Amino acid sequence: MTTGSIAYFLASPKGVTGAKRPAMPIDCVIKNGKLVIPNYGVLEADLAISGEKISQIGLDINGARSTIDAKGQYVFPGCVDTHSHYGHFNEFYSEMETESKCLASLGITTSMILLDRCIKNMEGWIERRNDPALFEQPMENVPGFIHAMWKGSYRNIVPEVIEKSSRVSTNDFGFLLATTNDTQLDEIPYCYRELGVSIFKAWTGLYRSVALSPSQMWRFFKKCKEVGALPYINTINFAMQEQITREATEKTKSDKSLVGPRYVKEARGADIIETLDLHTTLCVANQLAVPELLISHVATGASVKLMRQYREEYGLNVEGESCGVWLSLWWPEVGEKLGHMATCIIPQISDRDDVDMLWEGIRRGEITCVGTDGVISPRLTFPDGRPNPLYMPPPTKDREGLGFPSHICNFPVTLHEGLNRGFSPVQIAEICSLNTAKKARIYPKKGTIAVDSDADLVFVDIGTPHVIRKEELNTVAPFNPWEGCEVSCWPTLTMLRGEVIFENGKQVLKKRGQYQPRCSE
């Protein structure tokens, strides 16, 4: 464990912004904590908060209106989630209200939320989901959750979502915008400059109506490059997934043991469904000398190898995002434990060798961000009592379903697995907070512990065993993928912009989240 010297910290370039701001009243001081400072180390020092900002880091800071004793716990910067979902299957704002509490209680203080098909489940838009001018309409043999992808302009919808989200979100938030057609491609400069959005997501292998063609991907990359936005690509090839699934289904006619989770593992074709379109994406990005590229929810070692090839041979600055579920669960153990519940996620959970390669990718700087990518199973009705057209019974170990709540323990399970593999708390803070804040262009306001940064902090007890139970997670998810798992670390307190909002899993202050546009250049 690297423990930094306070004298060195104050004298170093990284300590220039981490020492002291001009004198002002101190509202709160945190004592006896081990400050986990990305790109620096663990620093045993006091931390002062004035208003919503960190105002001083040093020794023996006194004169505060209140004091919090960290009792030797590690104090992390609040996590920044690259990949949040609300309203995939249920009403958007009610789900934001419940699940942002879950995220905040477990250390995620800022969520980057994808606006795509969730718009169909927003107040004021549910009634218009069948309007073909605004939403993609159902296609034959396409699962329900693909229906009604937003195809309209973001100019008016984003301000509306910001205003309504500010009423219900417990943590701070930003947005990723789905880009599925030429109209949305042309809006990238406006959304970046006027709406403060810095990350734009595209699909290569989603169904024809929403996947970008290679020529559209070319334009997409050029638009992002023009303004300095981050292109964020999902390379899952659904057509290939369907073909492999059809072949596995045919195989079940002769192999009667190929049922349940074993069938799903046979049908998932994990490597090729990720890497087939990844080849094309990297080739186009390299041809255009794209300065920065992020690949979403990387789940296989084959994808890590391919990104490594382009990084080393061509100098392409491509990085991957993974998620706690793909970093901490693997076959066959996950199938034995969860049964059909383990099958409600795309890409599918991988093998242990893939998980090892993902962590090696983190060690080598190829996987740089950890998101959540969690989706709540469709509920029977919307909050106003209207039937939910996407409803199906939630999955159980013995029954198929939709939705995998991978968001509910993302930070603690990632930290636990990382510590077990020899990573330091600082390295985990970098992939869960710092790097994402930089990608979202909200660093150094978010993503670090430094003077003038927002006082978003998470106290973590490292070393005391904790058994994860769903009832403590502040979620409406029907199941917990990590139920009964024992971890060696657990968040005990969350601060958002200078105020304690959760302590020991209980909400102690109903502070509302704020929209986080990209920081000015």
Side-chain angles (χ1 to χ4, degrees):
M1 190 75 68
T2 301
T3 301
S5 155
I6 183 66
Y8 177 77
F9 174 74
L10 297 178
S12 71
K14 293 185 178 65
V16 170
T17 59
K20 190 175 184 180
R21 70 190 302 185
M24 60 186 306
I26 299 174
D27 295 308
C28 177
V29 65
I30 298 169
K31 290 183 174 289
N32 303 316
K34 298 172 182 176
L35 308 183
V36 181
I37 303 177
N39 285 347
Y40 177 74
V42 176
L43 187 68
E44 296 186 11
D46 296 348
L47 183 149
I49 299 169
S50 299
E52 296 188 339
K53 302 289 186 179
I54 297 171
S55 58
Q56 189 175 345
I57 297 173
L59 298 177
D60 300 321
I61 300 175
N62 297 305
R65 293 170 179 155
S66 65
T67 299
I68 297 176
D69 184 357
K71 300 178 181 178
Q73 294 182 94
Y74 289 79
V75 180
F76 283 74
C79 297
V80 182
D81 177 13
T82 48
H83 195 157
S84 288
H85 288 294
Y86 301 129
H88 235 50
F89 300 134
N90 305 293
E91 202 282 323
F92 180 89
Y93 296 109
S94 64
E95 197 162 273
M96 173 183 275
E97 185 168 17
T98 61
E99 301 315 297
S100 64
K101 292 177 183 178
C102 171
L103 296 174
S105 70
L106 294 175
I108 295 176
T109 52
T110 304
S111 294
M112 306 307 296
I113 303 161
L114 178 62
L115 296 186
D116 59 349
R117 59 187 70 97
C118 64
I119 295 174
K120 72 181 181 296
N121 285 329
M122 289 182 180
E123 174 192 13
W125 295 92
I126 294 173
E127 299 82 359
R128 304 177 68 182
R129 66 195 306 168
N130 294 322
D131 184 345
L134 297 173
F135 297 97
E136 283 294 335
Q137 296 306 297
M139 297 167 57
E140 186 178 359
N141 298 324
V142 177
F145 74 91
I146 299 297
H147 298 173
M149 177 76 84
W150 175 253
K151 60 190 287 188
S153 168
Y154 287 107
R155 289 174 179 255
N156 296 321
I157 188 73
V158 169
E160 174 188 318
V161 179
I162 291 171
E163 192 275 327
K164 291 183 177 180
S165 297
S166 299
R167 302 178 199 166
V168 298
S169 182
T170 296
N171 62 352
D172 285 347
F173 57 90
F175 296 114
L176 325 172
L177 298 186
T179 309
T180 66
N181 56 51
D182 289 335
T183 298
Q184 293 171 347
L185 274 171
D186 291 335
E187 280 193 344
I188 287 174
Y190 176 87
C191 293
Y192 182 83
R193 294 175 178 137
E194 304 300 324
L195 301 179
V197 175
S198 58
I199 304 177
F200 295 84
K201 185 171 184 178
W203 290 259
T204 59
L206 204 57
Y207 298 96
R208 290 185 306 277
S209 57
V210 294
L212 295 187
S213 67
S215 61
Q216 286 178 312
M217 188 64 70
W218 179 276
R219 289 187 59 227
F220 174 72
F221 282 147
K222 291 185 75 172
K223 287 287 186 182
C224 289
K225 184 178 179 180
E226 172 190 328
V227 297
L230 174 67
Y232 176 58
I233 311 296
N234 178 332
T235 65
I236 300 298
N237 189 299
F238 282 74
M240 183 59 68
Q241 175 71 83
E242 288 176 345
Q243 178 62 30
I244 294 171
T245 300
R246 281 194 293 268
E247 293 179 6
T249 302
E250 185 66 24
K251 189 175 178 180
T252 62
K253 297 177 181 178
S254 57
D255 184 353
K256 300 305 180 183
S257 67
L258 196 61
V259 295
R262 184 166 175 263
Y263 161 74
V264 173
K265 189 174 188 301
E266 178 81 15
R268 69 191 178 99
D271 283 4
I272 194 168
I273 71 163
E274 274 199 5
T275 57
L276 185 63
D277 287 356
L278 181 57
H279 277 278
T280 303
T281 299
L282 297 180
C283 183
V284 174
N286 186 58
Q287 186 69 28
L288 288 170
V290 171
E292 187 178 16
L293 173 63
L294 186 64
I295 305 300
S296 72
H297 50 49
V298 175
T300 67
S303 293
V304 176
K305 286 181 180 179
L306 187 54
M307 291 190 298
R308 182 179 302 158
Q309 177 185 344
Y310 271 80
R311 288 168 60 90
E312 294 179 350
E313 293 185 15
Y314 304 106
L316 181 65
N317 184 22
V318 56
E319 298 173 0
E321 166 219 68
S322 196
C323 304
V325 58
W326 294 295
L327 294 170
S328 66
L329 299 176
W330 49 81
W331 291 91
E333 289 86 347
V334 70
E336 294 169 354
K337 178 183 177 184
L338 298 180
H340 279 289
M341 290 185 289
T343 71
C344 301
I345 186 170
I346 298 176
Q348 287 290 321
I349 295 168
S350 301
D351 296 320
R352 179 62 185 259
D353 289 346
D354 288 302
V355 178
D356 292 342
M357 287 200 66
L358 292 175
W359 280 103
E360 180 62 19
I362 292 173
R363 198 178 301 277
R364 294 170 60 116
E366 297 153 346
I367 303 292
T368 58
C369 300
V370 174
T372 59
D373 198 21
V375 175
I376 299 290
S377 303
R379 306 175 81 180
L380 183 61
T381 62
F382 289 122
D384 62 4
R386 283 182 293 176
N388 182 352
L390 298 178
Y391 174 73
M392 66 183 301
T396 66
K397 187 172 183 178
D398 303 311
R399 181 180 64 209
E400 296 177 353
L402 287 174
F404 195 95
S406 52
H407 61 292
I408 59 180
C409 292
N410 197 68
F411 174 51
V413 298
T414 300
L415 176 59
H416 169 79
E417 187 67 25
L419 294 175
N420 283 350
R421 291 172 179 267
F423 287 79
S424 70
V426 173
Q427 290 172 298
I428 303 303
E430 289 164 2
I431 62 172
C432 289
S433 187
L434 174 72
N435 296 340
T436 303
K438 288 183 174 181
K439 299 292 184 195
R441 316 296 194 249
I442 55 175
Y443 172 85
K445 184 181 182 186
K446 305 287 187 182
T448 192
I449 294 178
V451 168
D452 286 330
S453 295
D454 281 359
D456 297 347
L457 304 168
V458 185
F459 292 21
V460 181
D461 180 354
I462 295 180
T464 302
H466 183 93
V467 178
I468 302 174
R469 299 297 182 194
K470 180 180 174 296
E471 57 265 23
E472 66 183 337
L473 302 180
N474 298 285
T475 180
V476 297
F479 69 96
N480 170 23
W482 295 275
E483 186 71 15
C485 292
E486 183 176 281
V487 292
S488 61
C489 50
W490 196 250
T492 63
L493 183 145
T494 303
M495 299 185 75
L496 178 66
R497 287 179 277 111
E499 295 184 294
V500 177
I501 58 171
F502 274 89
E503 188 168 8
N504 296 320
K506 305 296 183 183
Q507 188 172 14
V508 296
L509 179 68
K510 292 185 177 180
K511 188 181 181 78
R512 290 306 181 201
Q514 294 179 354
Y515 176 55
Q516 301 298 313
R518 65 179 180 84
C519 295
S520 59
E521 305 297 346

